[in-house]
Amino acid sequence: MSPGGGWPAATVAAVSRAWIDVDIGAIAHNARTLTAAAGGAALCGVVKANGYGHGAELAARGCIDGGADYLAVAQVAEGVQLRQAGFDLPIWVLSEPADHEFATAANHDLEPAIYSDAGLAAAAATAGGPMTVHVLADTGMNRSGRRWTDVADLSVRIDRDPRLRLGSVWTHLAVADEPDHSFTEVQLDRYDEALAAIARAGVEVPLRHAANSGASVGVPRSHHDVIRPGLSLYGIEPSPEMSGMADLRPALRLATAVTYVKKIGPDDRVGYGCAGSVTGPSLAATIPIGYADGIRRSWWNRGGRALVGGVARPFLGRVSMDQIVLDCGNDEVARGDEVVLIGRQGDAAITVEEVAAEVGTISNEVVCDLGPRLDRRPV
């Protein structure tokens, strides 16, 4: 052991036992597809939450290859990571930073959202030069943002402060992934009201944007100057109702390899709670991935499976923190065989959307749950 209590660096081999193949070309394709669907609007690629689990830097590269003009994150630290990796596009921070974070945002040329008086004061006080800020109009989601009726006043105050520069006025749509929901039109009407009030106040809005993934595909009225998709950039449908509305290519493949195999019989039990069992002789294959990596524990008895040799192998017993056992029946499976939990192997595939439906959540959560022990590998 080293004097500080850690292992000497020379003895550590940082080799992931499970990994994510990230298809940068697929992200670029999806970016181009969404931009074309938006009739020429500019593209802001949302790469928050570690690029929706795909790796922020790989996601940003795919967005740029696909023609993105802007990148967006949720937190200042995410923007700093991209700057340190060498990305020089404008980076928008979609949530208003904490007061103490504005100096960091300014030092890294990040462009934060503003919607509170406190945020406005903090931005103005810490800006070394004119800081570009983006006013978020709350048109009914009631999560964050300035109420649409009060956005004009905030925009005027920014416009008159030489320490600040108005970059855009934008809103976020709550149900754009539900094509038949009328509330999207309500929100867009309110957004138009806010923009009209700003214009009457004599302030020019450089950019307008409202379209998330669902709206980029299905709500032409929302496209404005910029679209701001997230999930669909990664080839994942915004919702089951919107399946097939755009030519999206999945960008993620979650894989590992068999580490151990053993023969078991009907009298044997597998895993915590002795919950796993077989009805006849079977080959049990262990893989080194578990709920610490984002594989839901609840998936084991809700269709949980992985592909080995192009065949879906059901989970045998509960998902552990670091391991899962697969029931491979009487097939020949060996240590080192590739295993795919999400993505394609040969002619077979397990999609993010399928996993989400089986565990009772949304696709966003499935990919964002994928943990830091998983190496992200560009393909």
Side-chain angles (χ1 to χ4, degrees):
M1 298 286 284
S2 68
W7 293 104
T11 69
V12 176
V15 178
S16 296
R17 304 189 77 191
W19 60 91
I20 297 171
D21 293 326
V22 180
D23 188 341
I24 293 176
I27 297 174
H29 164 84
N30 297 332
R32 289 189 292 267
T33 297
L34 293 164
T35 303
L43 174 71
C44 175
V46 180
V47 296
K48 63 181 181 177
N50 197 26
Y52 285 63
H54 293 65
E57 295 173 26
L58 298 179
R61 175 51 53 202
C63 289
I64 292 169
D65 289 352
D69 302 278
Y70 313 93
L71 299 172
V73 295
Q75 300 178 2
V76 169
E78 295 174 324
V80 171
Q81 175 190 349
L82 293 176
R83 286 285 186 247
Q84 292 176 339
F87 292 96
D88 59 2
L89 264 66
I91 297 176
W92 300 347
V93 181
L94 299 178
S95 297
E96 185 178 273
D99 292 357
H100 68 274
E101 293 180 308
F102 277 98
T104 302
N107 290 338
H108 291 85
D109 195 24
L110 306 179
E111 302 181 9
I114 293 288
Y115 36 84
S116 73
D117 291 339
L120 176 64
T126 57
M131 175 187 280
T132 300
V133 297
H134 300 261
V135 173
L136 170 56
D138 178 12
T139 56
M141 193 166 180
N142 290 309
R143 183 181 65 178
S144 57
R146 193 81 157 197
R147 186 174 174 82
W148 79 95
T149 54
D150 301 325
V151 162
D153 173 69
L154 183 63
S155 301
V156 168
R157 291 162 63 190
I158 292 170
D159 185 62
R160 292 177 179 173
D161 194 323
R163 298 168 294 180
L164 302 174
R165 180 186 298 115
L166 181 63
S168 73
V169 175
W170 61 289
T171 195
H172 192 52
L173 302 175
V175 290
D177 58 350
E178 301 177 40
D180 296 328
H181 205 301
S182 62
F183 191 60
T184 297
E185 292 299 315
V186 172
Q187 285 195 266
L188 291 173
D189 286 344
R190 292 171 175 175
Y191 183 52
D192 287 345
E193 289 177 27
L195 293 173
I198 295 169
R200 287 194 300 271
V203 175
E204 181 179 351
V205 176
L207 293 174
R208 303 161 300 151
H209 48 104
N212 54 15
S213 284
S216 296
V217 174
V219 188
R221 181 186 169 190
S222 71
H223 293 163
H224 295 295
D225 303 308
V226 184
I227 59 169
R228 204 180 58 245
L231 189 68
S232 56
L233 285 170
Y234 307 100
I236 303 169
E237 302 287 358
S239 67
E241 297 90 334
M242 303 191 79
S243 178
M245 290 182 66
D247 175 25
L248 302 177
R249 298 178 185 173
L252 179 145
R253 186 173 182 268
L254 174 61
T256 184
V258 173
T259 55
Y260 184 62
V261 294
K262 68 183 301 183
K263 293 182 179 179
I264 61 172
D267 294 332
D268 294 310
R269 295 295 179 268
V270 179
Y272 286 115
C274 298
S277 62
V278 294
T279 58
S282 185
L283 192 67
T286 301
I287 57 175
I289 189 171
Y291 61 75
D293 305 293
I295 305 302
R296 292 289 186 88
R297 187 174 183 268
S298 61
W299 197 24
W300 79 273
N301 62 349
R302 297 183 182 180
R305 63 206 180 282
L307 302 173
V308 186
V311 177
R313 318 287 182 169
F315 290 0
L316 185 52
R318 294 172 180 162
V319 175
S320 301
M321 183 180 291
D322 313 297
Q323 298 180 95
I324 299 170
V325 179
L326 305 176
D327 182 357
C328 296
N330 295 316
D331 291 341
E332 297 248 348
V333 174
R335 181 180 181 185
D337 284 355
E338 183 195 64
V339 180
V340 172
L341 291 100
I342 298 175
R344 181 166 295 280
Q345 187 184 64
D347 294 330
I350 299 171
T351 68
V352 172
E353 292 88 345
E354 289 170 342
V355 176
E358 288 161 2
V359 300
T361 187
I362 57 175
S363 299
N364 309 51
E365 191 169 15
V366 171
V367 290
C368 288
D369 275 354
L370 298 176
R373 296 196 303 192
L374 302 169
D375 190 17
R376 274 75 174 167
R377 304 177 180 180
V379 297

